[in-house]
Amino acid sequence: MKSMQPPDDVGSPGEEILAAIVDAPGSEPRLGSVVLQPRPVGTTLVSVVAAPLNPLDLVIASGTFHSGRHEAPYVPGSECVGVVLDSDRYAPGTWVYGECDASPDTPGSFATRTLIPDGDLLLLPAGLDPVLAAAVGNSGTAAYLPLMRNAGLRPGETVLVLGATGAVGQLAIQTAHRKGAGRVIGVARDRAALERLLGMGADAVVDLRAGERADELASRLLAAAGQVDVVLDGVYGLPLEAALQVCAPRARVVNIGNPAGATAQVPAGLLRGKQLTLSGFAGLHTPLQEKREALTWLWTALTRKELRLEVRTVGLEDVPAAWRAQAASPHHKCVLLPGDTGHPGTGPSQRTTVTGSSALPGSGDRNQAEGPQA
């Protein structure tokens, strides 16, 4: 992969930058420009190199998100990897990973440049491909933290992943496997995508079938998994109802999403009889510093070529098409390259299956003095 170098000039405050813009709740983003405010003290101006498209971005833009709604136009994007242009804390040229709180007042990461609070940045380890580092950020922490912190996964336990074929699910399958789970079972709708999980650490897969009752699904889950110690639930609704029926005593269930429904029936007798622990995880409400452990593990696994994830890169002009693809729950990770829309080998139709690191030339020596400090 050819090096993506940041621009030489920092640029003056108040300049227009290219960005994707959501004009109103429920609208699809369009390509446009916004004026970037002067850099406030305590923030860092970043040239965005790679910005993942996450389900969170679509939910916020829909106007139905439980934690906020933007009536005025804004630039979406919740995370990125980029290069420091101006900062009181970081030297220009430093490669960083950052989280963005996109709003009408502050552009998110779907822009050529953005302003990020200093506390929402981490140094990128030397030698790590920025595109891959970005791709496993939000998705990887949404897999790792619920499994390891919320559920407290222990070696030898059986793990059930509901919604296993998306980016989060794929990384959850691999995380559970590499953390010593005795059995890992993936559950999702797409049979072909499920079969690919068998080469990523899944011991068995179960397909969701239209019109199937919870007890029927539970019977198939029990046949494939036996009793389950940990459930990572990315779908909610009926699949969760079925999963609860196959939980072992004192099983831990962590919900991270609800595309299968906003409600689920949890029988009181089952909850108390099995002494289940039900909890929820929201990356948006988890400070970046609390994600350091997860990101360190994920980025280390990438450099050791221990993780697999299919990544599709697109330019800013292709955000509307990528947005629609994400709404259809793709089985790959889409990453925007805002500053290099016509970069050879990373165009709008580029699809790359990656295993570990394929570092960009020139990206590995920028933080060499600091070393891996993610």
Side-chain angles (χ1 to χ4, degrees), residues 44-316:
T44 293
L45 177 63
V46 175
S47 173
V48 180
V49 173
L53 177 58
N54 296 307
L56 173 65
D57 302 313
L58 274 68
V59 175
I60 293 175
S62 73
T64 63
F65 188 50
H66 57 75
S67 295
R69 175 184 171 97
H70 303 315
E71 299 294 344
Y74 76 102
V75 176
S78 51
E79 62 175 332
C80 69
V81 164
V83 179
V84 172
L85 296 176
D86 186 32
S87 176
D88 298 320
R89 181 181 297 186
Y90 301 99
T94 301
W95 286 78
V96 290
Y97 168 83
E99 291 191 332
C100 305
D101 184 12
S103 73
D105 297 323
T106 305
S109 58
F110 295 172
T112 53
R113 301 175 185 184
T114 192
L115 291 164
I116 302 177
D118 295 341
D120 291 333
L121 291 168
L122 292 175
L123 294 178
L124 203 66
L128 182 60
D129 182 338
V131 173
L132 302 188
V136 302
N138 180 289
S139 294
T141 55
Y144 184 98
L145 289 175
L147 286 172
M148 303 309 302
R149 187 183 67 181
N150 294 56
L153 174 63
R154 297 184 286 269
E157 292 189 314
T158 297
V159 177
L160 187 69
V161 179
L162 301 179
T165 55
V168 175
Q170 291 179 45
L171 291 169
I173 292 287
Q174 296 174 78
T175 299
H177 174 71
R178 295 197 170 278
K179 283 293 186 177
R183 280 180 62 78
V184 183
I185 294 83
V187 182
R189 298 190 182 280
D190 190 303
R191 188 69 200 185
L194 279 169
E195 292 294 336
R196 291 194 288 272
L197 298 178
L198 297 173
M200 295 183 182
D203 296 286
V205 294
V206 177
D207 59 311
L208 296 174
R209 299 172 182 174
E212 188 173 37
R213 299 193 313 268
D215 61 326
E216 294 172 332
L217 174 57
S219 178
R220 294 195 296 118
L221 291 177
L222 187 62
Q227 288 195 318
V228 174
D229 303 295
V230 171
V231 178
L232 181 64
D233 170 36
V235 297
Y236 214 61
L238 184 144
L240 173 60
E241 295 174 8
L244 292 176
Q245 296 181 37
V246 302
C247 281
R250 300 186 183 278
R252 291 88 69 202
V253 181
V254 187
N255 173 260
I256 59 173
N258 61 285
T263 61
Q265 294 186 7
V266 181
L270 183 150
L271 183 64
R272 295 198 307 272
K274 293 189 175 185
Q275 301 183 68
L276 303 180
T277 298
L278 306 182
S279 64
F281 172 84
L284 182 65
H285 302 304
T286 304
L288 180 59
Q289 295 305 319
E290 293 184 20
K291 300 175 183 177
R292 182 185 292 267
E293 173 192 345
L295 290 168
T296 298
W297 186 88
L298 291 158
W299 289 341
T300 300
L302 280 177
T303 61
R304 294 174 178 171
K305 300 183 179 181
E306 294 174 347
L307 291 179
R308 292 175 55 190
L309 184 65
E310 187 174 301
V311 178
R312 175 176 288 183
T313 54
V314 301
L316 270 178

